Amino acid sequence: MSNALAGALLSIGLSSGFAVHAQSGTAPTEPPLGHPGMRQHDGNRAFTKPSERVEARLAYMRTALKITDAQQAQWNAFAETLRNQARSADQRAQQFRAQREQDARERPSAIARLEHEQQRHAASATRINELLAVERPLYLTLSAEQKAIADELLAPRRHGGHFGRGGSHRLS
């Protein structure tokens, strides 16, 4: 099927879908196109960068874990590491966008792509080691009740083929 024909069919389908909603007087709850698993938002997200999310996430974790005064030093080291990693994630996202624009003009070679992947994995291992260095001492100071909560909040989980932080938010 040619691109022109596919585009025409898509336009007809879209306009008929919107026409039905317009006649019924109700707005569509979901856009007519898009992958079912895609997140839909109106562009007014509260946080757009990891460095903007990290403070809210840290406040939530600190409250849920009920960090005591005796655990404060270990918590501070952990929190500062997450803040630093969030700032680094902001920089990586900015670099990724710039690289994507450059790649659109000039596709990198297979070797360059593998080298980039190797660098990305090495940087990820470094971040995990940094986090483990501050999370382990914090975890050791937690009570059994706190450890049960920490096991849910702090442990990496598999989400869509990628490791993410606990819950629905990723910090790194």
Side-chain angles (χ1 to χ4, degrees), residues 70-90:
Q71 298 163 333
Q72 193 61 46
Q74 290 82 8
W75 172 260
N76 289 343
F78 172 76
E80 192 56 34
T81 298
L82 285 185
R83 287 180 187 110
N84 290 337
Q85 288 188 351
R87 284 189 291 270
S88 294
D90 290 347

Side-chain angles (χ1 to χ4, degrees), residues 11-167:
S11 296
I12 291 168
L14 284 174
S15 58
S16 65
F18 283 114
V20 168
H21 287 293
Q23 288 174 352
S24 68
T26 61
T29 56
E30 288 289 322
L33 291 179
H35 187 275
M38 286 176 42
R39 289 189 207 171
Q40 302 293 330
H41 64 85
D42 61 1
N44 295 324
R45 295 188 296 180
F47 306 115
T48 58
K49 297 178 182 178
S51 61
E52 295 170 352
R53 274 191 303 274
V54 73
E55 290 305 323
R57 183 73 177 150
L58 284 169
Y60 172 77
M61 287 191 295
R62 188 176 195 287
T63 301
L65 289 171
K66 300 175 186 166
I67 297 297
T68 67
D69 290 340
Q71 298 163 333
Q72 193 61 46
Q74 290 82 8
W75 172 260
N76 289 343
F78 172 76
E80 192 56 34
T81 298
L82 285 185
R83 287 180 187 110
N84 290 337
Q85 288 188 351
R87 284 189 291 270
S88 294
D90 290 347
Q91 292 172 348
R92 285 192 313 276
Q94 187 176 14
Q95 290 168 349
F96 173 78
R97 286 188 293 274
Q99 185 66 43
R100 188 176 55 194
E101 289 175 13
Q102 180 181 346
D103 290 350
R105 291 179 294 233
E106 170 185 318
R107 184 168 170 90
S109 70
I111 298 301
R113 290 193 310 265
L114 281 173
E115 289 171 343
H116 175 73
E117 187 74 5
Q118 182 183 42
Q119 291 168 359
R120 198 175 60 77
H121 284 290
S124 180
T126 299
R127 287 190 302 276
I128 290 169
N129 289 335
E130 289 172 355
L131 194 55
L132 188 56
V134 294
E135 196 170 305
R136 182 181 285 133
L138 172 64
Y139 191 84
L140 292 174
T141 67
L142 300 177
S143 68
E145 179 184 331
Q146 288 174 308
K147 284 180 181 178
I149 295 167
D151 288 342
E152 291 297 315
L153 287 178
L154 305 179
R157 298 181 183 183
R158 301 245 339 141
H159 294 289
H162 301 283
F163 280 98
R165 299 300 301 157

